[in-house]
Amino acid sequence: MYPVLNKLPNKSDSKPLPVVIIGNGPSGICLSYLLSGYIPYFKRGTVHPHPILQRKLEETPEISIVDQDLEYLSEGLEGRSQSPLALLFDTLLRPDTDFGGTAESVLTWEHEANRAIPHLVLGRNPPGGAWHFIEGSMITLSQGEWMGLPDLHFIDWMRKKRRSLRNNRATAEDIAQYYQHYVAKKGLQKNFSCGTVVTSVRKVSPDVNSSYAQQNPKNSVSFWDFPEKEKEDDQTGSRNLFQVDGFIKNINGGHQPFSIYAKKVVLATGTYDSPTKLGVNGEDLPFVYHKLSALEEAVKNKRVGMTSDPILIVGAGLTAADAVLFAHHCNIPVIHAFRRRVNDPGLIFNQLPKMMYPEYHKVHQMMKEQSAAHSGPYEYYISLPEHHVLSFRENKKCVFQDKSGHQKVFNISMAFVLIGSNPNLSFLPNNGIDLAVDIEQPVNSKRNPIDVDPFTYECVQEKGLYAVGPLAGDNFVRFVQGGALAVASSLLKEANKNPP
């Protein structure tokens, strides 16, 4: 069980919360663990395969990792992430995993309850975030061990559950259950409020009356800044607070509002909320969907089958590939359209090792061998490489344009546009665009993440506000944990400088 509304503090309470974390996926869970007083130290007697890092770790082993100079420790590390702290924390937890090694973590964890920072984690679903949305039988792209959180090996949990990995990978259902178990096992439940929807986060000042707090932020020169008089009164910004508003979903379907103050807010909502759209005519017709779960539901309800007109799957990423595999397994006819060439080096299938990802390479093979122009060995499947969707028609016809500019029309039963997703930051002023690297474009985890300090993950444009995980450009579970380390280190160092 997790806390509900009556356990949430209200803004009328005298003391604001030190930290509110919005999002209860892997990023939020990992940060909650660190803020709960679980402090990592270098485990004496262990040897890290990176000799320079080993030397640095041996310099001050009595000082916890969160209290050390993380920029110094991470200097010179290389790997599959652009974030220095993502690489640092990952290599401390999994020292040589990229080279197929199995070296144990060089960290040991101490529970120092006196260092815990009170915090609240708000999430729409049970702990695990978007993993509860993903069809349970889907296999993770990352290796199973890379999905684990600090100080509780995912593989060990799987063994206790008497489950096994497939090609070293796990199902989405396993991952979601592991994250729930982690929160319970580590005693973090008291920090989590699930079934919670945040509708607004904005800066307020405790010294101004309530009428100011109700102002429309668009009336200000900046979405976040205070009037000049208040800036003069508070040069450091230390007295400014964030007001977090939202509601709790009740069991009976009702909503109960809440409003709380926080000194710091951490954005950890991920990017699963808003599917990317094509932006073409007819995309809002009732037979056009943007989530894989809609295909699973249609198969279960027998809305499509072997004798249906083909379903259309648009996209050349892993979600689209999952949809092709699912439909192929159910003998449902598929038209698969995508904009890239099948041998484009940017295509994800051209970057995955065949031995580890045989099912995705099967899809890639289908994409190459069975186009509309050439028949192939795969029944019920047609590939349309380098094709754009021009429009959907009410009579369930889809109009395409190929690379030569020729138009084609196909009859379809349903369409599934699976071309990625974007974060839903509607609870932030201006949808969070002011916080992005490019403030002219919406926040996007791959092309335009929130602009954060690489060693604290504090938003460059807004002090006291932090962003972790995909919002900050870290898109794999093994690497989102570096952002949690950065935030925890920043907050713990600040707490030491300003003891209560």
Side-chain angles (χ1 to χ4, degrees):
M1 292 296 292
Y2 296 90
V4 290
L5 180 66
N6 57 14
K7 294 191 179 180
L8 279 174
N10 195 279
K11 68 178 182 179
S12 60
D13 295 346
S14 57
K15 287 188 177 181
L17 277 165
V19 182
V20 166
I21 302 166
I22 302 174
N24 64 1
S27 300
I29 296 171
C30 184
L31 180 54
S32 178
Y33 180 65
L34 292 162
L35 295 183
S36 297
Y38 290 95
I39 307 296
Y41 288 84
F42 174 57
K43 190 190 301 181
R44 299 185 192 225
T46 57
V47 178
H48 196 284
H50 193 295
I52 297 175
L53 179 58
Q54 174 71 17
R55 177 177 55 76
K56 293 177 181 178
L57 293 169
E58 288 176 339
E59 288 172 2
T60 52
E62 71 283 357
I63 299 177
S64 77
I65 299 297
V66 294
D67 295 312
Q68 294 195 37
D69 182 342
L70 298 181
E71 183 173 359
Y72 170 66
L73 287 180
S74 62
E75 195 174 31
L77 295 177
E78 296 179 349
R80 300 183 185 182
S81 172
Q82 299 299 311
S83 163
L85 292 201
L87 292 173
L88 173 64
F89 203 30
D90 183 61
T91 195
L92 293 173
L93 292 168
R94 292 168 282 268
D96 57 354
T97 188
D98 279 337
F99 302 100
T102 57
E104 283 292 308
S105 170
V106 297
L107 297 180
T108 184
W109 295 84
E110 302 290 339
H111 189 212
E112 300 174 4
N114 61 315
R115 299 204 65 189
I117 296 178
H119 61 281
L120 187 64
V121 184
L122 306 178
R124 294 171 179 257
N125 303 294
W131 288 96
H132 293 281
F133 282 123
I134 301 169
E135 203 280 320
S137 63
M138 293 299 172
I139 305 295
T140 62
L141 175 63
S142 296
Q143 292 186 37
E145 188 54 37
W146 295 351
M147 308 303 292
L149 296 175
D151 204 28
L152 183 61
H153 284 300
F154 177 73
I155 299 297
D156 293 344
W157 178 82
M158 288 283 284
R159 287 195 191 106
K160 287 182 181 176
K161 289 283 184 179
R162 296 187 178 179
R163 297 181 191 173
S164 58
L165 300 177
R166 186 175 130 197
N167 291 326
N168 291 320
R169 293 181 291 147
T171 66
E173 181 181 16
D174 288 333
I175 299 299
Q177 290 184 13
Y178 164 79
Y179 292 142
Q180 283 189 269
H181 173 78
Y182 186 93
V183 169
K185 178 76 172 176
K186 298 300 184 181
L188 307 179
Q189 299 103 313
K190 63 184 181 297
N191 303 318
F192 281 70
S193 182
C194 301
T196 308
V197 177
V198 173
T199 56
S200 172
V201 175
R202 61 174 182 245
K203 265 283 185 69
V204 295
S205 171
D207 293 338
V208 295
N209 61 33
S210 59
S211 64
Y212 177 77
Q214 296 302 319
Q215 284 182 12
N216 185 337
K218 292 184 180 179
N219 294 334
S220 303
V221 175
S222 163
F223 285 102
W224 290 98
D225 289 347
F226 286 109
E228 293 301 322
K229 176 66 173 68
E230 290 174 23
K231 286 187 191 175
E232 293 169 10
D233 293 342
D234 183 17
Q235 293 296 326
T236 64
S238 60
R239 290 166 59 235
N240 295 336
L241 299 175
F242 292 94
Q243 182 175 329
V244 181
D245 297 323
F247 59 85
I248 290 279
K249 295 179 285 188
N250 296 332
I251 298 174
N252 59 12
H255 293 164
Q256 287 183 270
F258 70 84
S259 186
I260 54 180
Y261 287 137
K263 293 179 181 177
K264 312 281 187 183
V265 169
V266 182
L267 306 174
T269 54
T271 65
Y272 197 74
D273 292 311
S274 301
T276 304
K277 294 194 173 184
L278 294 167
V280 300
N281 288 336
E283 194 169 4
D284 294 327
L285 288 169
F287 62 90
V288 182
Y289 299 86
H290 296 83
K291 289 189 176 181
L292 177 58
S293 56
L295 173 57
E296 297 148 9
E297 194 70 23
V299 171
K300 189 165 71 174
N301 295 334
K302 299 183 178 178
R303 291 173 58 199
V304 289
M306 292 175 62
T307 58
S308 309
D309 280 334
I311 64 168
L312 170 65
I313 296 172
V314 181
L318 297 178
T319 304
D322 285 334
V324 170
L325 288 167
F326 184 79
H328 189 64
H329 176 73
C330 298
N331 294 321
I332 295 168
V334 171
I335 297 171
H336 183 195
F338 46 96
R339 296 187 177 199
R340 294 178 183 260
R341 295 175 291 115
V342 289
N343 57 351
D344 187 324
L347 206 64
I348 185 66
F349 308 106
N350 291 316
Q351 303 170 24
L352 298 175
K354 289 186 179 181
M355 293 297 290
M356 189 178 291
Y357 304 98
E359 72 278 29
Y360 289 137
H361 278 277
K362 179 180 179 180
V363 173
H364 193 209
Q365 192 174 9
M366 293 165 70
M367 291 162 66
K368 286 190 287 188
E369 295 184 9
Q370 187 127 342
S371 68
H374 305 91
S375 62
Y378 303 103
E379 200 173 2
Y380 304 122
Y381 176 87
I382 294 174
S383 164
L384 296 179
E386 298 181 87
H387 279 63
H388 295 67
V389 174
L390 290 182
S391 65
F392 297 99
R393 296 177 179 171
E394 290 188 9
N395 59 356
K396 293 191 176 181
K397 292 182 184 292
C398 183
V399 184
F400 299 90
Q401 182 173 294
D402 66 17
K403 63 180 179 179
S404 302
H406 299 131
Q407 292 189 13
K408 304 173 184 177
V409 180
F410 286 87
N411 291 321
I412 60 173
S413 57
M414 302 175 76
F416 301 91
V417 179
L418 305 172
I419 55 174
S421 59
N422 293 294
N424 178 3
L425 298 177
S426 60
F427 58 88
L428 295 177
N430 199 24
N431 292 301
I433 291 175
D434 298 341
L435 304 173
V437 171
D438 179 356
I439 60 172
E440 301 295 323
Q441 300 295 326
V443 174
N444 180 279
S445 65
K446 293 177 181 174
R447 295 182 296 277
N448 192 34
I450 290 177
D451 195 7
V452 298
D453 181 292
F455 300 104
T456 66
Y457 277 60
E458 187 172 25
C459 295
V460 171
Q461 303 297 335
E462 183 54 48
K463 300 306 176 189
L465 189 70
Y466 298 77
V468 293
L471 292 178
D474 296 332
N475 291 294
F476 290 94
V477 170
R478 62 183 287 202
F479 294 130
V480 304
Q481 298 171 56
L485 174 69
V487 175
S489 175
S490 172
L491 296 178
L492 286 164
K493 286 172 181 174
E494 185 177 304
N496 284 349
K497 286 180 185 174
N498 303 295

